[in-house]
């Protein structure tokens, strides 16, 4: 495989063009990357010192979770447009750039073009890609797929009233605080006609704090739902050992992320919160990196190493919210891992 046409498989990128006009008999074409550069730089070699040649920030796909609803939607929209275009070309395979945010050598700021962030926390785009898999797909014993519904909104006072819903269902019903706002099916447009499952879009009449709920229907049956709840005032922390249910055998070490979520009294994530959070390790575990972390979009994350011989590990996190100290504790029992 290579970028030159003398290899068995020709690897190409969407930003270089020609993905629709490329022809070379039966040789396979692979679109090796799409979704980032064509929305980031106006040319192939922008000035990395001055930034000359970089497109306006509101256009590009490099968005962090802290960029909020507007930024995360912009990123997802770029990916959707690019994927739809890529699926219309003769390529046998395509690769999205990139799955995770990542550090880079020439710039101290991490590249934020990932579908998930550096700590594997999903952005809106993750749910969009998940919705492109069929509800009937069978991925084996560990597959957790099926019907998907995701409301691409934080449902805050400044939220857009045009609300996209990512889904692989046939029909979506949207409700606001229990009141029905209608049912809609995916609609094919110029920017979505090649997608397996185009998003469903609702235009709401007004903003009203509370619960926005989408239910997905297939063959007339309600199969899944997703709720977005307007958060109240920060009231505490919830901790999670993010092992993704993939655990080493007893006696083996591990390195994982621990997330501290700033939540209200009902446990709803305070997605705009940027409180400083302090972490401490107890037992057979150590923090890797800083112990004081500022929350991004309501979540502060540290990386920890659990010792090979460790039986139990506990992480304590605390923050001062509105002058009150809040503490959360997360614990993992390696004897039962």
């Amino acid at each position: 495989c290579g970028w030159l046409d003398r290899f068995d498989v020709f690897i190409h990128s969407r930003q270089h063009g020609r993905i629709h006009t490329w022809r070379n008999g039966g040789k396979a074409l692979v679109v090796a990357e799409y979704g980032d550069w064509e929305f980031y730089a106006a040319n192939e070699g922008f000035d990395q010192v001055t930034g000359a040649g970089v497109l306006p920030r509101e256009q590009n796909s490099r968005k962090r979770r802290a960029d909020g609803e507007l930024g995360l939607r912009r990123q997802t929209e770029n990916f959707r447009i690019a994927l739809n275009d890529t699926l219309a070309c003769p390529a046998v395979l395509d690769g999205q750039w990139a799955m995770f945010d990542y550090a880079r050598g020439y710039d101290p700021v991490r590249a934020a073009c990932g579908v998930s962030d550096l700590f594997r926390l999903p952005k809106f785009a993750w749910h969009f890609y998940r919705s492109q898999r069929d509800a009937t797909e069978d991925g084996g014993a560990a597959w957790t797929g099926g019907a998907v519904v995701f409301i691409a909104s934080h449902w805050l006072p400044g939220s857009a009233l045009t609300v996209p819903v990512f889904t692989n269902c046939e029909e979506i019903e949207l409700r606001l605080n229990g009141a029905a706002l209608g049912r809609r099916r995916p609609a094919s447009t110029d920017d979505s006609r090649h997608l397996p499952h185009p998003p469903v879009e609702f235009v709401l009449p007004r903003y009203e704090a509370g619960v926005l709920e989408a239910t997905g229907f297939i063959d007339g049956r309600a199969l899944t739902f997703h709720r977005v709840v307007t958060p109240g005032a920060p009231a505490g922390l919830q901790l999670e050992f993010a092992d993704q249910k993939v655990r080493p055998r007893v006696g083996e070490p591990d390195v994982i992320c621990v997330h501290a979520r700033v939540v209200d009294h009902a446990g709803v994530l305070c997605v705009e919160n940027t409180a400083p959070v302090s972490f401490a390790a107890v037992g057979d575990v150590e923090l890797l990196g800083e112990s004081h972390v500022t929350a991004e979009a309501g979540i502060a994350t540290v990386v920890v190493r659990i010792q090979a011989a460790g039986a139990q590990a506990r992480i304590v996190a605390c923050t001062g919210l509105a002058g009150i100290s809040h503490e959360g504790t997360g614990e993992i029992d390696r004897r039962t891992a």
Side-chain angles (χ1 to χ4, degrees):
C1 303
W3 294 93
L4 302 177
D5 203 6
R6 60 184 172 83
F7 291 98
D8 299 323
V9 175
F10 183 52
I11 293 178
H12 205 44
S13 291
R14 184 172 180 269
Q15 64 262 21
H16 298 310
R18 292 181 57 212
I19 66 171
H20 294 281
T21 60
W22 184 87
R23 297 288 185 275
N24 191 342
K27 180 181 290 190
L29 167 68
V30 170
V31 178
E33 62 178 79
Y34 73 88
D36 174 50
W37 197 270
E38 65 266 45
F39 298 98
Y40 182 67
N43 55 66
E44 296 180 12
F46 77 97
D47 190 325
Q48 296 181 356
V49 177
T50 67
V54 174
L55 293 171
R57 175 168 171 75
E58 61 268 20
Q59 293 181 218
N60 74 52
S61 304
R62 301 192 175 186
K63 306 299 181 187
R64 294 170 174 80
R65 291 186 305 103
D67 288 321
E69 177 186 299
L70 184 63
L72 297 180
R73 282 196 191 182
R74 178 72 268 164
Q75 181 192 56
T76 307
E77 183 73 359
N78 288 353
F79 291 167
R80 182 183 66 80
I81 292 170
L83 175 61
N84 179 73
D85 183 54
T86 299
L87 291 176
C89 82
V92 299
L93 186 70
D94 62 69
Q96 207 282 338
W97 189 284
M99 179 60 187
F100 303 110
D101 293 351
Y102 56 91
R104 46 194 173 161
Y106 70 88
D107 194 318
V109 179
R110 67 184 184 271
C113 44
V115 174
S116 298
D117 77 357
L118 189 71
F119 301 111
R120 280 44 179 170
L121 291 167
K123 305 177 189 177
F124 284 1
W126 187 95
H127 300 278
F128 164 71
Y129 280 105
R130 177 63 190 81
S131 73
Q132 296 308 296
R133 306 187 75 153
D134 290 341
T136 57
E137 182 174 338
D138 183 3
W143 176 239
T144 58
V148 171
V149 171
F150 178 80
I151 303 170
S153 172
H154 289 149
W155 202 236
L156 300 168
S159 289
L161 294 181
T162 299
V163 178
V165 179
F166 307 142
T167 185
N168 55 13
C169 295
E170 296 173 350
E171 191 175 32
I172 297 297
E173 180 183 66
L174 191 66
R175 289 178 175 270
L176 175 57
N177 292 326
L181 300 175
R183 288 195 185 192
R184 299 203 65 178
R185 290 177 173 267
S188 180
T189 66
D190 288 342
D191 291 334
S192 66
R193 68 176 71 252
H194 300 289
L195 297 178
H197 302 285
V200 179
E201 194 171 271
F202 290 85
V203 179
L204 277 62
R206 66 191 183 283
Y207 170 79
E208 179 183 306
V211 181
L212 197 61
E213 179 175 276
T215 303
F217 294 81
I218 296 179
D219 293 331
R221 295 186 300 120
L223 295 182
T224 188
F225 68 91
H226 178 228
R227 289 191 184 107
V228 177
V229 182
T230 307
L237 295 175
Q238 291 179 349
L239 262 68
E240 174 197 3
F241 278 78
D243 58 14
Q244 308 298 320
K245 298 182 180 179
V246 178
R247 296 181 178 180
R249 290 186 293 268
V250 175
E252 290 184 348
D254 202 2
V255 175
I256 62 174
C257 294
V258 176
H259 306 304
R261 289 177 164 82
V262 181
V263 296
D264 66 10
H265 283 290
V268 176
L269 178 68
C270 298
V271 72
E272 293 185 304
N273 190 271
T274 57
V277 180
S278 299
F279 292 83
V282 181
D284 302 307
V285 60
E286 64 174 318
L287 297 175
L288 302 179
E290 297 292 331
S291 59
H292 303 282
V293 180
T294 299
E296 178 181 356
I299 303 175
T301 301
V302 290
V303 180
V304 302
R305 177 187 288 120
I306 302 174
Q307 307 297 343
Q312 289 186 307
R314 188 162 63 97
I315 296 294
V316 177
C318 62
T319 186
L321 299 170
I324 304 173
S325 178
H326 295 267
E327 182 176 295
T329 302
E331 186 170 328
I332 185 170
D333 189 344
R334 294 297 305 283
R335 293 172 298 185
T336 60

